[in-house]
Amino acid sequence: MRIGDLDFGEKPLFLAPMEDVTDVSFRILCKEQGAAMVYTEFVPSDGLIRDADKAIAKMLTIPEEAPVGIQIYGHIPESMVEAAKMADNAAEIAGGHGADIIDINFGCPVSKIAGRGAGSGMMREPDKMVAITKAVVEAVKKPVTVKTRLGWDEDSKIIVELAERLQDVGIQALTIHGRTRCQLYRGKADWTLIGKVKENPRMRIPIIGNGDITDGPGAAEAFDRYGVDAIMVGRASFGHPWVFREMRSFIDRGETLPPLSVAERVSLAKRHLDLSLHYKGRPRGIYEMRRHLSCYFKGLPDFKSTRMRLVTSDDPDEIRGILDFIAAGWDGVRLETNNVYDI
């Protein structure tokens, strides 16, 4: 599978962009565990053009995570074009590696974004969505991709026709989440429409499927049954970055890996903490790790008081000591592999 000049091989797995989750430290871990492509948290176009420090900081990427996509969102065409140009030059503006791909977020369903017409709110204005996409494609040099949903609601699943229109204005890949905006994350993702987009003889660009893929068998079935070119994994990776290694093992060799031991999870949590501190410093690197740390050990028995210590300490050495205590105190306990949807 290829996007522009980028070759991802057969049946690649991508890490979905997730706000407050896919920062550089988490992206590095997922890359090390087998993600072929990672994406930044979504970057607001209005924040970028105002030179907001927080928005610009989200564009920082490093060579070790490449290839990496910078995802932008917004509903004002002029702002989206300017933001796309900034993402195209992220290495100069934010430092680091920059973007290999510029992805447009037409899929986020949260009210504060979709309610003002951005994200999946754009599903109510497909003409405007296509116009913004065309303008972005024409304004930048990097490949442009889009992530979106099936439609606004059950009565307006427009993705088959919309996919053609987005392709025709120049995007080089399309990611489809198998729900409508009104579903949010409720119910089951409908992959049949993703499959219909892929089997449409007019479609030439790669189609990336997203939604409810949590393990190797599910990923293998989605590739085989719906013919998608890649699978994007979102919530199933949270507190579980090694899900990519598990999926890769099953897809490539039909092997189901044993669940990680508590000690192995502790080792990954320590590396995650060190990366977060390296790139964000104190106290931010600790504060933004807390939700990750608790989910690494979801399901451990009699863990409540230890979890509270883990997510309230602001001392790195104390946190490392608590992690050592977890490794010793729950030695031999085997957890289920999935910490699915704990966000």
Side-chain angles (χ1 to χ4, degrees):
M1 176 209 166
R2 300 180 66 90
I3 299 177
D5 293 332
L6 299 171
D7 189 345
F8 297 99
E10 294 295 317
K11 299 182 178 179
L13 303 169
F14 293 176
L15 171 66
M18 292 178 284
E19 184 69 358
D20 295 328
V21 176
T22 56
D23 63 4
V24 63
S25 58
F26 188 68
R27 297 195 305 264
I28 290 170
L29 280 183
C30 292
K31 190 75 180 204
E32 291 174 349
Q33 294 292 320
M37 175 83 173
V38 297
Y39 293 80
T40 64
E41 301 168 79
F42 36 90
V43 184
S45 58
D46 52 353
L48 278 183
I49 64 173
R50 291 198 312 266
D51 290 329
D53 290 343
K54 186 176 181 181
I56 291 173
K58 287 183 177 182
M59 294 200 304
L60 172 65
T61 65
I62 64 170
E64 289 82 353
E65 59 179 314
V68 57
I70 292 179
Q71 190 185 71
I72 60 173
Y73 76 91
H75 65 288
I76 300 172
E78 295 79 10
S79 297
M80 286 290 285
V81 167
E82 290 307 309
K85 290 178 180 178
M86 293 179 72
D88 203 25
N89 295 288
E92 291 77 24
I93 295 170
H97 171 75
D100 296 287
I101 284 173
I102 298 168
D103 191 64
I104 305 176
N105 181 332
F106 290 140
C108 180
V110 299
S111 296
K112 68 178 182 179
I113 292 175
R116 68 171 189 257
S120 60
M122 199 66 69
M123 300 300 292
R124 291 184 291 187
E125 299 182 88
D127 291 344
K128 185 177 181 181
M129 180 196 292
V130 173
I132 287 175
T133 303
K134 183 175 187 292
V136 167
V137 168
E138 293 173 351
V140 300
K141 298 177 182 177
K142 303 283 194 334
V144 175
T145 60
V146 163
K147 185 174 190 288
T148 190
R149 289 186 167 227
L150 303 179
W152 176 257
D153 57 22
E154 194 67 24
D155 297 323
S156 58
K157 292 182 177 179
I158 60 173
I159 189 59
V160 175
E161 177 190 356
L162 180 63
E164 290 188 15
R165 297 181 65 189
L166 291 169
Q167 174 183 259
D168 291 347
V169 296
I171 68 168
Q172 297 194 38
L174 175 65
T175 301
I176 305 169
H177 180 94
R179 290 181 174 87
T180 65
R181 185 274 159 184
C182 290
Q183 282 182 273
L184 300 177
Y185 293 100
R186 296 187 296 267
K188 188 176 180 180
D190 179 8
W191 277 70
T192 58
L193 280 178
I194 301 175
K196 286 186 177 180
V197 172
K198 178 58 190 173
E199 69 187 21
N200 180 352
R202 280 210 67 236
M203 297 303 297
R204 304 176 304 277
I205 60 173
I207 302 300
I208 304 158
N210 173 232
D212 294 349
I213 304 300
T214 65
D215 56 22
E221 180 184 9
F223 276 121
D224 295 341
R225 187 173 184 181
Y226 301 105
V228 291
D229 299 283
I231 288 173
M232 183 174 283
V233 181
R235 292 174 292 161
S237 70
F238 192 67
H240 186 195
W242 59 95
V243 69
F244 295 99
R245 182 162 57 90
E246 294 173 336
M247 289 183 177
R248 194 78 265 154
S249 175
F250 192 90
I251 292 167
D252 294 342
R253 298 179 296 279
E255 296 178 359
T256 300
L257 298 180
L260 254 61
S261 68
V262 174
E264 289 170 321
R265 292 172 187 241
V266 164
S267 179
L268 273 175
K270 283 183 176 180
R271 172 150 173 74
H272 196 167
L273 175 64
D274 289 344
L275 287 168
S276 187
L277 287 167
H278 176 74
Y279 288 105
K280 296 183 177 179
R282 295 179 61 181
R284 185 179 165 210
I286 292 175
Y287 295 158
E288 296 190 7
M289 267 296 295
R290 286 175 173 172
R291 65 188 304 184
H292 291 279
L293 284 172
S294 63
C295 287
Y296 271 106
F297 308 104
K298 186 172 183 280
L300 276 181
D302 304 314
F303 192 65
K304 183 176 180 180
S305 61
T306 304
R307 177 182 288 111
M308 286 302 298
R309 290 171 56 211
L310 191 63
V311 300
T312 55
S313 174
D314 58 7
D315 184 297
D317 290 332
E318 182 180 8
I319 294 171
R320 293 186 186 99
I322 296 169
L323 289 169
D324 287 336
F325 171 76
I326 294 169
W330 280 268
D331 181 41
V333 175
R334 305 297 292 194
L335 290 169
E336 294 297 323
T337 58
N338 262 337
N339 294 325
V340 178
Y341 302 165
D342 196 4
I343 58 173

